[in-house]
Amino acid sequence: MTLLFTRQHLFLRLFFFCLSFWAMGHPCLATEDNSQLSHGLSQLIQGNFQRKEEAVKIIATSGDPRAEQILQALLAGKLYRIKRKDTLVYKEGKGKKVAITSVLTGESLGTVKKRAIKKITINNAIRGKLHGQLALINLKNPDSQIRLQAVNKLIPTLSPKSAGTLETLLQTERNDKVREALMTARAIIGLRDTEKPRRLEALDNLQGNLTPSVKNELIRLLTEEQDKEIHNKAQATLNGIQSKIKLYGLIEKLFFGLSLGSVLVLAAIGLAITFGVIGVINMAHGELIMLGAYTTYVIQQLMPNAIGTALLLSIPAAFIVSGATGILIERTVIRFLYGRPLETLLATFGISLILQQTVRTIFSPLNRSVSTPAWMSGSLQLNPVLSLTVNRITILVFALMVFAGLYMTLKKSSIGLQVRAAAQNRSMARAMGIKAARVDALTFGLGSGIAGIAGVALSQLTNVGPNLGQSYIIDSFMVVVFGGVGNLWGTLVGGLTLGVANKFFEPWTGAVLAKIVILVFIILFIQKRPQGLFPQKGRAGA
Amino acid sequence: MVVLKYLKQDRGGMITLGLIALLTIAVPICNLMVPEGNVFHVSTFTMTLLGKYLCYALLALAVDLVWGYLGILSLGHGAFFSLGGYAMGMYLMRQIGSRGVYGNPLLPDFMVFLNWEQLPWFWQGFQWFWFAMLMVVLVPALLAFVFGWFAFRSRVTGVYLSIMTQALTYALLLAFYRNEMGFGGNNGLTDFKDILGFSLQADATRVGLFIASGVALALGYLSCLYITRSRLGRLCTAIRDQEDRVRFIGFKVENIKLWIFTFSAILAGVAGALYVPHVGIINPNEFSPLASIEMVVWVAVGGRATLYGAVVGAIMVNYAKSYLTVAMPDAWLFALGALFVLVTLLLPRGVTGLVRKKEVDA
Amino acid sequence: MSVLESMRSFMRRDQVFDFLIPDVPPNLDLTHGVILYLENLNVSFDGFKAINDLNLYIDDGELRCIIGPNGAGKTTMMDIITGKTKPDSGSAWFGQEINLLDMDEPEIATAGIGRKFQKPTVFEQHRVIDNLELAMAGDKRVWPTLTAHLNSAEQDRINEILKIINLEEHFSRRAGSLSHGQKQWLEIGMLLMQNPKLLLVDEPAAGMTHQEMDQTAELLTSLAGTHSVVVVEHDMDFVRSIANKVTVLHQGSVLAEGTMDEIQNNQQVIEVYLGE
């Protein structure tokens, strides 16, 4: 029985040996020999978890450049060994046949049946250890960003034993941020020190520190600490940290609110122009936003390799597409309905249905997603509790730029002057030789074009679909009404205020109720100030 | 009766009411008495469809009363219609009793599904028909009253008011989509079994519902006629055309608007309550702004500021909708959109305006 | 005991509960012979002072003409009296008891102030008699209006006014089809239907033929005495034909007051009118 087993075992090993010969043409040899690494690897192959745990440490401390990759693979469950053989490999791909690569040489060993290899399993204890060890390895990485991440990862698993390592690291570290993180780590260890002055000093160093572990550590300290003085001090520190976290939470909420507000401003500002200047409520405004978003989608489809350029190109393109559509609507429908606002509302609503259905027919009713260029993705980590996404910041800035551009256009250019003249007194403007019809068409085109630009911005935040615009028309109108008709500043302040208010109500009431609360608020607000925040004053006409 | 005197002066109204009466009598006879296969047999399906149109016609009257006569373009009448519908739906849900899928004698299925322990307070009382009918009237009326009180007092008019009403129904749409609201979320209320003890599947019950819708429409027509021909009604058109002048002759415009708006909401609520047993379901989609604005187009097509125009428009557009959504589903929204544009541009007086003699020196 | 007594006083048949007493403004008190007091009024729009420390008194039964260049604040003054615009400061009293600043337009109208707009505003879709019927003094609450019917006294009143405003033959015409001058008269007729004590008439002669103008002047002078009439007008001939007292407004305050002759010889007035 034993003999048979051994033979079979031998046979299989031979088989695999030949297999690897056949696959590679030459035997696999370690290119660089590191006895500690090999020792660790041989430990790892043992089925026993305790041995594996030791192996992790041995590998990590071997100083071998391959160590990190091995541990990462182990953590990710990609480290396998060939059955009945001691060769460790990386598995790639899924399915019945998988590609394997030698751990020691990094050379491809071809494909084998999945049954032929066996995963090196780990448990949670090893996983924790792996995290810690990997972090330690990264602590010596030349890239300061990686070192910083490593320190941050290390902090939750700190033990007094790490103190020495931290001291040595601190002596060599030049980067400020990494140093700061290391100090935090040192102070956390200090909190566990048996000597009272050390703990007090640590508390001093941790004042206002926002690293999440600090808070946890302080909470732990508060439950365990016997000493009154330290207890009080810890409590004070914790309170300080918590109020700081609250403050940053507020800032974050404010940012989200401003971000939502900037979207509202973008969506509403075109409406503010068409409604404020020509007195026309354009219910197809949302659909013009949608057209802008679809323009972005189409241009990105045309230039799949240059997403960033495509996005920049979309801005003028969307302006032209939506603006032209707007002028078309004005010339064919709206100009026959001047002075009949309710009829205009109905007719433009009809147009919005037609535009929606057209888009649905051309692009299918499904949502399309528009990709975000690299320079707009990611987030800005200001401190451990506050990070702002780059795309929202970009859109906030973009909205302000569009606002400024529009404001300057209306204030400084001759067309802007004509538009403002027509807005104040149509018949007088006409008497002064302003071609009212042309100004109307251009104003409408301008408002619609801005809607298109809003669509470009929106495509970066949500999916693009035929119903995209629908949800914005009511909100946009609320902004215009809230800010005061015919006043760009009102639209800006109104949009940002509503955005922020929405985000501040949300945690209390939930998103839907927040919306309802805002609607009710605006209804009540109009009760008090029918002209909006920034009314256009004038003699009440008889 | 004064109403009869008014009716004599309203030829289009007499014809329309005559047709409604004929329909209300003939269709049930053709459904129950005439055997299937006969040319004159009206299937229950057709009768239900016609019943639905009658409810829509009543709803169109409500919209016309505020838009055509008072100049308030309400884009939120769907809210009142749906609230009436939900009140009826809640009664019908309570009537299911233990026949639901989960067999809970008290809780409707969706509450059992959400693991609710007991009936929410606002579902109490809906086991009684009279209570539900009271709510059909009261809930839309209260909403219209509160909304109108704020809106009219602050002199919100024109497109502002229109968008406000749209926002109102939009807010309710969002609210009713939520499961926590306790109205069945997305799915709404459905699977009704019977009404006042009669099975909703039975032809006789459906005939009863049909007759009820016809009678409600006729009564709604007559009450609207009475209002619009009274001094108050003439004042309404005066408000529509010269709101300031009405104020300066001493009328509290906001009160008039408020009461007419509230009455209109009640009509819409009743229409919704009749509508629900016809179609067997009420869900939040009825709150969607599109649904509300469609009602306006019925009135616009029929001819605003004529009551029979609203009835004719509602039936015509809905017939076209039933036909097109089956024949060419994609074309319906194009057609509806085009209808909005064409009616406002070319037919400001609606189709009945084509037949109606030119008003004296208008 | 007192319980019974308080019950009794609570249940007294000749009294109603306080909250049931309708909120009617006090009666017009003309004991000092002045019907309208405007004192220290100020209104500004966006920094522009439309009314600047205006003081004006109108006597009971007086016919007063108000003239002034464009932007002098004539229309704004009317807006304040009728409740359309609220002043920034100052006071406006109708008789001794009625504070106009506390009331809205319908309340002021019911209290007895009628106003004709610069542009004739009548209900163009309604017949002439409907216009008059709607304007008629009476219960203006919603339900009574719904059930209201013309009784013969009211019918007579309408006929009487029709005669005064020379529209007897046109009683069933649509108001929109009347000529400009006829619309002006109809609007004055609507004011009269309200039985006002004070009529504010903004440019009644605008767009009228000479003959119509004479008739209008005659009408207004006949109204004075039983009513107080304030006329704002640009046409000096018309003003001369009706006025015995004229007030000149300039930049939101009273520049001069007196008979037409006095006004015409006033140096300041000449400067204002001719200096521009």
Side-chain angles (χ1 to χ4, degrees):
Chain A
M1 199 54 203
T2 327
L3 187 72
L4 187 69
F5 178 74
T6 325
R7 261 203 206 152
Q8 215 177 16
H9 190 72
L10 237 165
F11 173 73
L12 269 170
R13 284 180 82 159
L14 255 171
F15 171 78
F16 271 107
F17 195 65
C18 298
L19 190 80
S20 50
F21 260 99
W22 170 78
M24 316 244 325
H26 62 82
C28 47
L29 289 169
T31 42
E32 205 181 316
D33 209 37
N34 179 321
S35 61
Q36 200 184 341
L37 184 69
S38 335
H39 174 57
L41 289 180
S42 64
Q43 287 269 27
L44 198 57
I45 294 172
Q46 314 293 328
N48 183 323
F49 281 129
Q50 207 170 343
R51 299 285 281 278
K52 283 183 189 166
E53 211 172 317
E54 285 164 26
V56 168
K57 193 166 184 195
I58 296 170
I59 296 171
T61 50
S62 69
D64 191 280
R66 289 164 292 186
E68 191 199 343
Q69 196 193 358
I70 294 170
L71 296 182
Q72 288 283 12
L74 181 60
L75 190 61
K78 280 184 179 167
L79 194 66
Y80 281 69
R81 72 183 170 93
I82 298 176
K83 273 188 189 156
R84 313 274 183 258
K85 217 178 136 194
D86 293 341
T87 321
L88 277 169
V89 293
Y90 300 125
K91 186 195 91 164
E92 267 135 40
K94 277 179 183 170
K96 284 194 172 166
K97 290 208 161 188
V98 291
I100 53 172
T101 323
S102 164
V103 162
L104 285 174
T105 60
E107 280 172 297
S108 172
L109 299 180
T111 52
V112 295
K113 284 193 181 149
K114 199 184 167 211
R115 279 185 294 134
I117 53 175
K118 192 171 188 322
K119 188 169 167 181
I120 309 288
T121 53
I122 51 174
N123 63 8
N124 275 338
I126 299 178
R127 217 163 268 136
K129 199 118 199 162
L130 273 171
H131 281 297
Q133 293 296 348
L134 275 169
L136 280 176
I137 292 177
N138 281 335
L139 282 177
K140 291 169 183 151
N141 195 297
D143 186 341
S144 68
Q145 206 62 37
I146 293 178
R147 284 205 303 279
L148 181 63
Q149 278 172 10
V151 179
N152 283 333
K153 261 190 205 159
L154 197 66
I155 286 175
T157 62
L158 280 175
S159 71
K161 279 180 270 172
S162 327
T165 328
L166 288 175
E167 287 303 329
T168 43
L169 282 170
L170 262 172
Q171 273 158 16
T172 52
E173 185 58 59
R174 291 269 168 271
N175 185 292
D176 281 344
K177 283 195 169 167
V178 183
R179 279 188 73 85
E180 206 175 289
L182 284 169
M183 308 270 257
T184 305
R186 189 171 65 173
I188 288 180
I189 293 173
L191 282 183
R192 299 184 190 165
D193 204 288
T194 43
E195 284 176 41
K196 189 177 159 187
R198 293 289 297 273
R199 274 179 287 168
L200 281 174
E201 188 198 339
L203 277 175
D204 273 334
N205 290 335
L206 287 175
Q207 293 291 349
N209 196 312
L210 292 172
T211 318
S213 307
V214 173
K215 199 175 122 195
N216 297 338
E217 197 62 29
L218 283 172
I219 292 170
R220 184 199 61 80
L221 186 72
L222 280 173
T223 55
E224 291 171 7
E225 183 63 52
Q226 304 294 324
D227 188 290
K228 200 114 199 193
E229 188 189 352
I230 293 184
H231 194 280
N232 288 346
K233 188 155 187 180
Q235 186 66 56
T237 315
L238 184 63
N239 289 347
I241 288 173
Q242 265 162 348
S243 64
K244 217 168 165 186
I245 288 179
K246 219 180 236 168
L247 175 72
Y248 281 112
L250 275 182
I251 292 175
E252 189 178 35
K253 225 184 270 170
L254 189 70
F255 171 71
F256 277 132
L258 286 177
S259 162
L260 177 68
S262 66
V263 170
L264 287 177
V265 168
L266 270 177
I269 202 161
L271 197 70
I273 291 175
T274 48
F275 187 58
V277 175
I278 330 182
V280 156
I281 169 87
N282 179 16
M283 293 296 275
H285 188 79
E287 276 59 39
L288 292 168
I289 296 177
M290 174 198 73
L291 281 187
Y294 269 99
T295 310
T296 320
Y297 169 73
V298 168
I299 291 186
Q300 217 167 64
Q301 292 298 305
L302 293 176
M303 311 170 56
N305 297 323
I307 294 175
T309 326
L311 190 65
L312 291 181
L313 268 181
S314 309
I315 296 172
F319 184 84
I320 291 167
V321 169
S322 294
T325 316
I327 290 179
L328 189 71
I329 295 173
E330 202 274 339
R331 286 287 88 187
T332 51
V333 178
I334 291 177
R335 75 181 166 121
F336 300 107
L337 296 171
Y338 280 129
R340 290 155 66 196
L342 296 182
E343 275 87 346
T344 317
L345 193 152
L346 290 179
T348 47
F349 189 85
I351 293 169
S352 83
L353 288 182
I354 295 175
L355 285 176
Q356 260 180 46
Q357 191 61 16
T358 311
V359 165
R360 215 170 271 142
T361 316
I362 299 175
F363 294 96
S364 100
L366 300 176
N367 278 350
R368 303 286 173 192
S369 78
V370 173
S371 4
T372 306
W375 46 267
M376 260 183 84
S377 47
S379 60
L380 200 65
Q381 188 84 32
L382 292 183
N383 64 38
V385 291
L386 182 64
S387 77
L388 310 176
T389 48
V390 176
N391 63 347
R392 288 186 178 273
I393 298 175
T394 317
I395 285 173
L396 182 58
V397 173
F398 181 66
L400 294 177
M401 276 162 53
V402 170
F403 176 82
L406 195 63
Y407 190 77
M408 292 319 268
T409 312
L410 285 182
K411 269 269 135 72
K412 303 278 177 205
S413 74
S414 79
I415 177 76
L417 184 66
Q418 293 183 7
V419 167
R420 280 181 296 139
Q424 272 184 13
N425 190 335
R426 291 183 74 80
S427 47
M428 194 60 186
R430 202 186 297 254
M432 304 290 282
I434 293 172
K435 289 200 183 80
R438 188 171 145 270
V439 171
D440 285 341
L442 284 179
T443 315
F444 204 83
L446 182 66
S448 308
I450 302 278
I453 292 182
V456 178
L458 275 182
S459 74
Q460 293 301 311
L461 291 180
T462 55
N463 283 331
V464 177
N467 297 331
L468 174 73
Q470 229 174 18
S471 41
Y472 282 96
I473 183 72
I474 293 181
D475 288 345
S476 315
F477 196 86
M478 291 297 145
V479 169
V480 174
V481 168
F482 182 60
V485 173
N487 188 317
L488 284 188
W489 284 109
T491 310
L492 182 71
V493 176
L496 294 181
T497 314
L498 287 188
V500 171
N502 217 328
K503 285 293 167 193
F504 273 82
F505 277 125
E506 235 169 63
W508 295 351
T509 56
V512 172
L513 282 178
K515 241 191 159 108
I516 297 173
V517 167
I518 297 282
L519 284 178
V520 172
F521 165 73
I522 290 180
I523 292 176
L524 294 179
F525 175 81
I526 289 188
Q527 162 95 354
K528 277 271 160 260
R529 299 191 63 164
Q531 305 259 35
L533 275 180
F534 299 93
Q536 273 192 325
K537 287 193 182 169
R539 184 172 73 166
Chain B
M1 280 284 276
V2 201
V3 185
L4 293 177
K5 195 185 89 196
Y6 291 149
L7 190 59
K8 273 186 197 145
Q9 298 159 359
D10 180 22
R11 266 192 66 220
M14 269 168 78
I15 298 170
T16 316
L17 270 185
L19 284 176
I20 292 169
L22 188 72
L23 216 61
T24 315
I25 297 164
V27 169
I29 293 177
C30 293
N31 175 263
L32 287 180
M33 312 269 186
V34 181
E36 264 176 69
N38 189 304
V39 202
F40 292 105
H41 177 77
V42 175
S43 71
T44 305
F45 175 78
T46 315
M47 187 177 64
T48 303
L49 201 63
L50 287 173
K52 212 172 86 175
Y53 294 166
L54 293 182
C55 297
Y56 284 149
L58 183 58
L59 177 59
L61 277 181
V63 174
D64 194 22
L65 188 63
V66 288
W67 183 39
Y69 290 90
L70 201 48
I72 299 173
L73 175 56
S74 164
L75 301 181
H77 260 54
F80 308 127
F81 179 79
S82 312
L83 287 175
Y86 265 97
M88 179 58 117
M90 284 160 82
Y91 163 73
L92 296 174
M93 281 312 257
R94 296 291 305 266
Q95 289 297 296
I96 296 173
S98 55
R99 285 169 291 173
V101 178
Y102 296 107
N104 189 311
L106 189 62
L107 297 187
D109 277 349
F110 74 88
M111 291 187 195
V112 182
F113 184 75
L114 292 173
N115 291 322
W116 288 18
E117 297 291 320
Q118 55 191 12
L119 209 60
W121 59 269
F122 48 85
W123 275 76
Q124 304 292 347
F126 277 91
Q127 66 269 38
W128 302 306
F129 186 71
W130 65 266
F131 183 83
M133 291 307 102
L134 194 66
M135 289 300 130
V136 162
V137 173
L138 275 189
V139 173
L142 194 69
L143 178 66
F145 192 87
V146 171
F147 178 84
W149 198 85
F150 283 119
F152 301 140
R153 204 146 291 259
S154 48
R155 306 216 176 149
V156 179
T157 51
V159 285
Y160 288 83
L161 190 63
S162 303
I163 298 288
M164 283 294 163
T165 53
Q166 187 171 39
L168 172 78
T169 192
Y170 185 61
L172 284 169
L173 170 77
L174 294 178
F176 273 72
Y177 263 129
R178 289 159 57 96
N179 280 329
E180 306 91 271
M181 275 290 285
F183 296 104
N186 291 2
N187 302 322
L189 310 175
T190 186
D191 290 331
F192 308 131
K193 301 284 190 243
D194 48 32
I195 180 170
L196 288 170
F198 302 103
S199 165
L200 275 172
Q201 312 309 322
D203 282 356
T205 316
R206 303 219 147 235
V207 163
L209 283 171
F210 182 82
I211 295 176
S213 307
V215 171
L217 177 57
L219 288 179
Y221 192 98
L222 290 175
S223 54
C224 286
L225 188 68
Y226 177 69
I227 292 176
T228 53
R229 293 296 162 106
S230 71
R231 187 182 292 171
L232 184 68
R234 280 173 285 160
L235 206 58
C236 287
T237 37
I239 292 174
R240 180 191 67 193
D241 300 332
Q242 286 289 354
E243 185 169 328
D244 263 347
R245 182 26 96 203
V246 178
R247 278 214 174 88
F248 285 113
I249 57 179
F251 286 98
K252 298 234 176 207
V253 170
E254 47 273 16
N255 285 354
I256 298 170
K257 283 185 173 175
L258 184 58
W259 288 108
I260 299 284
F261 191 67
T262 307
F263 179 73
S264 168
I266 292 175
L267 281 186
V270 171
L274 286 164
Y275 168 85
V276 167
H278 276 300
V279 295
I281 183 169
I282 175 84
N283 63 30
N285 286 338
E286 303 290 340
F287 281 108
S288 81
L290 177 61
S292 290
I293 208 162
E294 249 186 75
M295 297 160 197
V296 175
V297 104
W298 305 339
V299 178
V301 168
R304 57 184 284 215
T306 56
L307 294 173
Y308 56 90
V311 175
V312 170
I315 294 176
M316 271 177 52
V317 177
N318 279 295
Y319 177 74
K321 183 179 184 176
S322 307
Y323 175 76
L324 270 183
T325 41
V326 175
M328 290 177 279
D330 284 343
W332 164 242
L333 279 183
F334 280 123
L336 186 63
L339 204 57
F340 273 104
V341 178
L342 294 179
V343 167
T344 43
L345 279 185
L346 307 175
L347 271 183
R349 282 146 58 88
V351 284
T352 57
L354 294 174
V355 214
R356 208 159 67 224
K357 69 174 172 14
K358 280 259 180 249
E359 271 150 47
V360 220
D361 338 298
Chain C
M1 216 221 73
S2 68
V3 178
L4 200 65
E5 264 167 46
S6 62
M7 268 303 272
R8 230 175 241 146
S9 73
F10 188 70
M11 302 290 279
R12 276 178 67 170
R13 289 195 177 192
D14 56 337
Q15 281 182 0
V16 292
F17 298 116
D18 286 349
F19 67 90
L20 284 174
I21 299 170
D23 189 16
V24 281
N27 283 329
L28 185 58
D29 177 1
L30 297 171
T31 44
H32 290 78
V34 178
I35 195 165
L36 185 71
Y37 299 80
L38 300 181
E39 285 171 345
N40 307 330
L41 285 178
N42 282 292
V43 181
S44 60
F45 300 120
D46 237 353
F48 168 68
K49 280 216 144 207
I51 294 286
N52 188 5
D53 198 23
L54 176 76
N55 291 284
L56 187 74
Y57 305 92
I58 306 289
D59 291 337
D60 183 25
E62 181 188 8
L63 172 61
R64 174 78 64 96
C65 278
I66 294 182
I67 59 173
N70 275 328
K74 294 168 302 203
T75 303
T76 309
M77 182 193 78
M78 292 224 177
D79 284 343
I80 293 173
I81 300 171
T82 52
K84 192 170 179 179
T85 301
K86 293 288 168 211
D88 301 335
S89 63
S91 61
W93 289 82
F94 185 44
Q96 304 294 313
E97 305 262 328
I98 302 174
N99 184 357
L100 293 176
L101 300 186
D102 284 347
M103 298 156 78
D104 62 7
E105 296 104 313
E107 283 164 356
I108 291 173
T110 345
I113 297 181
R115 177 180 184 185
K116 195 197 89 59
F117 290 106
Q118 196 169 342
K119 222 174 78 187
T121 22
V122 294
F123 307 129
E124 309 218 337
Q125 296 289 320
H126 285 310
R127 295 176 303 168
V128 169
I129 46 167
D130 286 329
N131 269 281
L132 294 178
E133 182 188 336
L134 291 180
M136 186 164 53
D139 197 336
K140 304 222 159 167
R141 285 169 304 167
V142 176
W143 188 259
T145 314
L146 179 66
T147 53
H149 279 284
L150 278 183
N151 57 35
S152 56
E154 290 166 337
Q155 192 66 58
D156 290 346
R157 174 79 180 140
I158 291 178
N159 288 335
E160 188 188 328
I161 301 286
L162 276 174
K163 200 176 277 171
I164 294 176
I165 58 174
N166 276 327
L167 288 174
E168 280 167 299
E169 291 145 41
H170 308 289
F171 74 94
S172 70
R173 268 176 72 183
R174 209 166 272 269
S177 70
L178 297 175
S179 74
H180 190 81
Q182 285 170 323
K183 281 184 196 167
Q184 302 264 41
W185 280 338
L186 177 56
E187 201 176 355
I188 295 174
M190 288 165 74
L191 296 197
L192 295 178
M193 287 302 294
Q194 290 172 248
N195 292 335
K197 287 303 291 176
L198 173 65
L199 285 115
L200 305 174
V201 189
D202 204 346
E203 300 201 13
M208 282 189 173
T209 62
H210 267 286
Q211 200 195 350
E212 286 174 330
M213 230 189 264
D214 291 343
Q215 285 173 335
T216 311
E218 206 178 302
L219 175 60
L220 290 176
T221 33
S222 73
L223 289 174
T226 47
H227 307 77
S228 309
V229 184
V230 175
V231 179
V232 165
E233 185 52 72
H234 277 302
D235 191 308
M236 287 303 158
D237 292 336
F238 184 78
V239 172
R240 180 187 299 281
S241 68
I242 58 170
N244 37 36
K245 196 171 180 190
V246 178
T247 301
V248 185
L249 284 194
H250 178 57
Q251 291 179 347
S253 47
V254 174
L255 184 71
E257 213 166 63
T259 64
M260 195 66 194
D261 290 331
E262 285 166 15
I263 294 296
Q264 269 175 328
N265 297 320
N266 185 315
Q267 204 53 42
Q268 276 180 306
V269 175
I270 293 169
E271 265 171 40
V272 164
Y273 266 93
L274 301 178
E276 287 175 344

